[in-house]
Amino acid sequence: MRSPSRSARRFLPFAWLLACAIAIGLVACKTLPDVDPEVPAKATPTIATAKGALPQHQASALATKRWANASSDLKTLAALEEQATGVPLIAGNKVTLLFDGPATMREMMAAARAATSSINLETYIFDADEIGNQFADVLIDKQRQGVAVNIMVDAVGALATPAAFFDRMRGAGIRVLIFNPVNPAKARGKWELNNRNHRKLMVVDGRVAFTGGINISSTYANSSLFRSRKKPDQVDSDKVGWRDTHVKIEGPAVAPLQWSFLDLWVKQDGGELPQATYFPALVPAGDKILRVLASDPDHESDIYKALVVAISEAKTSIHITSAYFVPDQQIVDALISAAQRGVDVRLVLPGVSDHGLIRYAGQAFYDQLLSGGVRIFELQIAVLHAKTAVIDGGWSTIGSANIDRRSFIHNYELNVVVVDPAFGASMESAFNEDLRDSKEVTLERWRHRPWSDRIKEWMSRLGEYWI
């Protein structure tokens, strides 16, 4: 489990905001956009390559070839999603799924050690613990070898990290930017305490990128029993692991991921970056077609819009794994509508959580969802931190965004959408494994829960906008 100090980093700055809002009885809340996937879409989505956008006939031929075995019309879904977000698909990528912290940290550190030009790292939490220090040592060594290393860490995520930890990296020549400082005197430009950088991204030499849900911390490196031979009853309850998902991306899609880092660095007035080949010529590395969605508080969330479109267009299945699940009514309605038209809608949500407030706020929606035909499962043997979904076996998303208003309205978030039946099959396999380690919540059982839980749910719903 996270210690209270770690858990508080996500929520402390918002506690006083909530208290003030309740005290004056007035909250100026942003709202999420209405998403209408029924608007007619063009026949073929835009598909870009390293050489630019494909002509429509070539894009159509590629989509038909890649999605021939899909269980639903992925071409229409992709076109509707582009219409909602304005973001094109990118072809020619290799996407590798990484499960849990240890495997992800090994891959990321190996890629960093192989860097020859630049390492750009963006994370919410960078702890000064065993894993954090190992990672810092790798970055310091590369900086001393002449690689340009640039780091962006959220100020709230860094609350429990000693300043000396970052000073050691700065002393080696690494550029370290603390995003949106808690202290207004240290802010660059407009002070925006409530807008946090929740993205997790590392780009190496402009050629390899990592993104998903995993922060740099020994907490996240405490692996779950995902794909383990151990039985749940052999687990020490005091050493519960963390279940998370990340991806490694190679190919043309690395360029927009690199751009998202550099663009945010400039917006935070992070200073001039050293010379490096941040945008090398990229060639196809695989056959995966994906979309990069980087959202920010100044614009309507493309991640949210893409998710609503995919749920609304689902024909056979919606399988969502969500660490912090506090949906708005549009998502609730879309899930129930899908279930009522015969779609298999299943959610894997936390049975063990690092933050009870979030869990109770999400559980306040259970009765409505269960009554509407949505099936809910709670993961029992790990702290769930993954933020993934696979719809109709061919549309998948992995990233940093939770299904809550904070992620969609106030946070800087980063997700990738992979439109590919083979990749979707791998995502389904992971989802089914999590199902085996989960307990289903039935409507009958739920309606007999203790009144103390109902009160906690009601209280948590009062502040759901801010958590």
Side-chain angles (χ1 to χ4, degrees):
M1 288 284 191
R2 276 203 249 184
S3 65
S5 61
R6 265 197 205 103
S7 181
R9 285 182 295 200
R10 177 179 162 92
F11 304 100
L12 273 177
F14 317 121
W16 64 268
L17 288 171
L18 176 59
C20 291
I22 293 174
I24 64 175
L26 182 64
V27 182
C29 297
K30 293 182 181 179
T31 59
L32 288 164
D34 290 329
V35 182
D36 181 11
E38 298 302 322
V39 176
K42 62 179 183 178
T44 302
T46 302
I47 301 179
T49 68
K51 297 180 180 179
L54 292 173
Q56 187 170 358
H57 70 281
Q58 291 183 11
S60 180
L62 178 60
T64 299
K65 177 181 178 182
R66 293 299 311 149
W67 303 335
N69 297 322
S71 61
S72 63
D73 186 357
L74 291 181
K75 187 187 291 187
T76 297
L77 173 56
L80 285 166
E81 186 176 86
E82 180 186 341
Q83 189 164 269
T85 65
V87 180
L89 291 165
I90 303 172
N93 303 284
K94 179 180 179 181
V95 185
T96 305
L97 275 167
L98 300 170
F99 299 109
D100 288 353
T104 301
M105 290 298 111
R106 283 194 299 271
E107 286 280 346
M108 289 177 67
M109 283 194 247
R113 289 188 184 101
T116 59
S117 176
S118 65
I119 301 172
N120 288 336
L121 175 66
E122 184 177 357
T123 185
Y124 181 67
I125 293 173
F126 198 153
D127 274 339
D129 54 20
E130 181 180 1
I131 291 296
N133 277 294
Q134 287 179 20
F135 214 107
D137 288 342
V138 171
L139 298 176
I140 288 170
D141 286 345
K142 298 311 296 187
Q143 178 66 43
R144 288 173 175 165
Q145 292 170 23
V147 173
V149 181
N150 310 301
I151 299 174
M152 186 159 32
V153 181
D154 186 80
V156 171
L159 279 176
T161 306
F165 176 76
F166 297 117
D167 289 341
R168 182 168 78 94
M169 289 190 279
R170 288 190 181 100
I174 294 174
R175 273 68 48 195
V176 179
L177 172 63
I178 303 301
F179 187 94
N180 275 356
V182 174
N183 183 348
K186 295 182 179 179
R188 298 174 176 85
K190 185 169 66 172
W191 186 53
E192 297 177 316
L193 176 61
N194 200 32
N195 295 346
R196 307 315 323 165
N197 185 359
H198 195 239
R199 299 176 185 176
K200 290 88 177 171
L201 172 67
M202 186 175 82
V203 183
V204 177
D205 291 341
R207 297 182 182 278
V208 180
F210 296 83
T211 194
I214 298 174
N215 289 294
I216 300 175
S217 166
S218 293
T219 299
Y220 297 86
N222 182 18
S223 186
S224 70
L225 292 179
F226 184 81
R227 294 186 174 163
S228 169
R229 294 182 179 179
K230 289 184 180 180
K231 301 293 183 182
D233 59 6
Q234 296 173 322
V235 182
D236 184 341
S237 60
D238 293 329
K239 297 181 180 179
V240 175
W242 282 62
R243 170 71 182 89
D244 219 329
T245 305
H246 226 65
V247 284
K248 176 183 178 182
I249 299 171
E250 301 162 85
V254 175
L257 290 165
Q258 179 80 293
W259 171 255
S260 73
F261 176 92
L262 297 175
D263 181 55
L264 201 50
W265 184 280
V266 171
K267 288 178 179 176
Q268 277 280 294
D269 194 19
E272 187 149 351
L273 292 170
Q275 291 291 322
T277 307
Y278 294 114
F279 293 99
L282 296 173
V283 297
D287 59 7
K288 298 297 178 279
I289 300 173
L290 61 85
R291 196 185 316 270
V292 175
L293 300 175
S295 67
D296 65 71
D298 295 327
H299 302 88
E300 292 182 342
S301 173
D302 289 336
I303 298 171
Y304 174 82
K305 289 187 282 189
L307 181 63
V308 173
V309 168
I311 292 172
S312 300
E313 290 297 304
K315 303 296 189 295
T316 59
S317 62
I318 298 170
H319 295 158
I320 293 174
T321 304
S322 182
Y324 305 116
F325 180 79
V326 190
D328 73 317
Q329 195 58 46
Q330 185 170 207
I331 287 181
V332 171
D333 291 343
L335 290 170
I336 291 173
S337 176
Q340 293 180 346
R341 64 176 181 267
V343 176
D344 171 30
V345 183
R346 286 183 278 178
L347 314 177
V348 171
L349 305 178
V352 180
S353 178
D354 66 320
H355 201 281
L357 183 64
I358 290 283
R359 187 180 178 199
Y360 282 116
Q363 287 178 339
F365 292 92
Y366 277 20
D367 194 284
Q368 185 182 1
L369 289 164
L370 292 168
S371 298
V374 175
R375 297 177 69 188
I376 298 174
F377 300 78
E378 292 184 338
L379 187 66
Q380 299 296 304
I381 62 170
V383 177
L384 183 61
H385 197 254
K387 307 98 166 48
T388 65
V390 55
I391 293 177
D392 287 352
W395 182 98
S396 306
T397 187
I398 306 98
S400 65
N402 298 299
I403 299 179
D404 62 11
R405 285 177 173 82
R406 166 143 300 283
S407 287
F408 296 139
I409 294 176
H410 290 295
N411 285 353
Y412 294 80
E413 302 282 4
L414 182 62
N415 276 42
V416 294
V417 170
V418 183
V419 188
D420 184 86
F423 185 84
S426 297
M427 292 285 289
E428 288 282 15
S429 175
F431 182 84
N432 288 330
E433 183 152 348
D434 285 331
L435 275 182
R436 286 193 290 272
D437 295 327
S438 301
K439 182 183 295 185
E440 185 165 9
V441 180
T442 64
L443 184 59
E444 181 181 3
R445 173 192 143 201
W446 186 247
R447 286 182 172 171
H448 287 86
R449 69 194 183 283
W451 275 102
S452 59
D453 286 354
R454 297 169 190 251
I455 293 170
K456 291 174 184 176
E457 293 162 18
W458 176 79
M459 293 179 66
S460 298
R461 278 291 300 273
L462 291 177
E464 70 175 85
Y465 177 87
W466 295 103
I467 57 180

